[in-house]
Amino acid sequence: MISRFLKSREALLAGAIVLLTILIAIRFPAFVSAANLVRVFNDTSILIILALGQMMVILTRCIDLSMAANLALSGMVVAMLNAAMPGIPVPALIALAIAVGAILGAFNGIFVWKLNIPPIVVTLGTLTIFRGLVFVLSGGAWVNAHQMSDAFKAFPRAVFFGLPVLSWVAIFIVVLMTVLIGRTALGRAFYAVGGNPTAAVYTGIDVGRTRFVAFTLAGALAGLSGYLWISRYAVAYVDIAGGFELDIIAACVIGGISIAGGIGSVGGAVLGALFFGVIKNALPVVNISPFWQLAISGAAIILAVAFNARAERRRGRIILRQSEAAS
């Protein structure tokens, strides 16, 4: 088992993260201080949550380009509500953000399921619609820190056992997704639908319904991230998280989630997000210009895609067989 783990994509990625961190620490020792590593993890927490949501969608051989727009719309809804009625408890606002995100995700899923429209077309359209709704809802105005209640802003920053609540939320989602993907029939259905949709039908799996559930759950995580993002940065505006959908997909690809569906793991998605988070935090530290930061991030994505394609040809779709054997 240890030998198999050492040959896995997750072990390779973990080694790359450790090596990258050591190289940065040689020049800037403070980068590996406990406080800074906690800060890097906390900065990456939202990306981890979103990458796990995107992973579910990609496993079913779909893609969701609207997750960042979903985040922006869900976050704007709760930010405006908090500004108008600061007495509403924070748990109620979090539940509302999750519900709004889930509805927006279900909107994507119903088009993919019932109308059989390609996911990339549906989510490209809803990306624009959600961004437009953020503008219509807010009138283009910002919701600033002084308009938000103290409890609304304080929740993700509160520290328990040395970690901010934002980080604990990410850890909780990772555990939840590990159980969902690895120990439930729904998780196995995600792999089956992405691995071979035709065979999945013959085993009694409703392909369209499974994809709908994946989009809905991903939307719920985007809604949760909407509250976490806006409360942490204490500002909401139309272009919030603009372009972040590319970071989400990049984290999945780097983590070994196959765009062709059916291959991937929770550990891979988390490590992919962490790898991306370390790069994003480290490059400014070593004074790399913003242009080269984008170029290096893009090169990492291309290398990951090339590595994935080669690995898939070599090993085939063994993840589904492993899940079936474990069940």
Side-chain angles (χ1 to χ4, degrees):
M1 180 179 292
I2 295 176
S3 175
R4 191 171 65 186
F5 172 75
L6 292 176
K7 294 178 181 176
S8 69
R9 174 60 174 265
E10 288 80 3
L12 181 64
L13 198 49
I17 293 172
V18 172
L19 179 62
L20 180 63
T21 304
I22 292 173
L23 290 175
I24 298 166
I26 292 173
R27 186 170 179 184
F28 296 97
F31 188 81
V32 291
S33 66
N36 189 65
L37 292 179
V38 168
R39 191 177 303 116
V40 170
F41 181 79
N42 199 50
D43 287 345
T44 314
S45 292
I46 292 178
L47 180 58
I48 290 173
I49 295 171
L50 292 169
L52 290 172
Q54 186 70 259
M55 182 195 73
M56 285 187 290
V57 176
I58 293 177
L59 281 179
T60 63
R61 202 177 282 193
C62 296
I63 195 164
D64 188 350
L65 300 178
S66 67
M67 287 194 76
N70 184 333
L71 179 158
L73 181 53
S74 303
M76 180 60 81
V77 168
V78 293
M80 293 183 66
L81 192 59
N82 177 253
M85 291 181 280
I88 297 178
V90 171
L93 292 173
I94 295 173
L96 177 63
I98 294 173
V100 171
I103 291 170
L104 297 179
F107 189 71
N108 287 327
I110 205 74
F111 274 90
V112 172
W113 178 20
K114 294 299 182 181
L115 301 182
N116 204 27
I117 302 175
I120 192 170
V121 175
V122 172
T123 56
L124 195 59
T126 53
L127 180 158
T128 307
I129 293 171
F130 296 164
R131 287 287 178 193
L133 287 176
V134 177
F135 184 86
V136 170
L137 192 66
S138 65
W142 290 33
V143 180
N144 293 305
H146 68 275
Q147 297 172 278
M148 301 176 186
S149 68
D150 291 338
F152 183 86
K153 293 177 290 186
F155 181 72
R157 307 177 191 186
V159 176
F160 290 98
F161 300 106
L163 282 179
V165 168
L166 175 57
S167 297
W168 284 116
V169 171
I171 292 170
F172 173 74
I173 296 297
V174 170
V175 173
L176 192 66
M177 290 295 297
T178 301
V179 174
L180 174 68
I181 297 296
R183 300 295 178 186
T184 68
L186 179 62
R188 290 190 289 275
F190 289 156
Y191 285 109
V193 168
N196 190 328
T198 303
V201 171
Y202 285 109
T203 61
I205 296 173
D206 188 325
V207 173
R209 188 188 299 275
T210 303
R211 288 173 172 166
F212 170 79
V213 173
F215 273 108
T216 304
L217 292 178
L221 292 180
L224 173 63
S225 300
Y227 162 73
L228 294 172
W229 184 299
I230 286 175
S231 58
R232 185 192 183 207
Y233 296 107
V235 66
Y237 52 93
V238 173
D239 291 330
I240 201 161
F244 203 63
E245 53 273 355
L246 298 180
D247 289 4
I248 301 167
I249 295 171
C252 289
V253 171
I254 291 172
I257 315 299
S258 172
I259 292 297
I263 295 177
S265 68
V266 171
V270 172
L271 288 169
L274 286 175
F275 182 81
F276 211 60
V278 170
I279 287 182
K280 288 250 176 183
N281 280 273
L283 294 182
V285 172
V286 296
N287 294 323
I288 301 293
S289 73
F291 169 77
W292 283 108
Q293 290 177 30
L294 291 173
I296 292 171
S297 298
I301 295 169
I302 292 174
L303 287 173
V305 171
F307 184 86
N308 284 352
R310 184 172 180 178
E312 286 166 22
R313 282 198 300 269
R314 186 175 64 250
R315 69 182 180 183
R317 301 181 184 283
I318 63 172
I319 302 297
L320 176 59
R321 292 200 294 272
Q322 291 174 350
S323 298
E324 290 172 343
S327 62

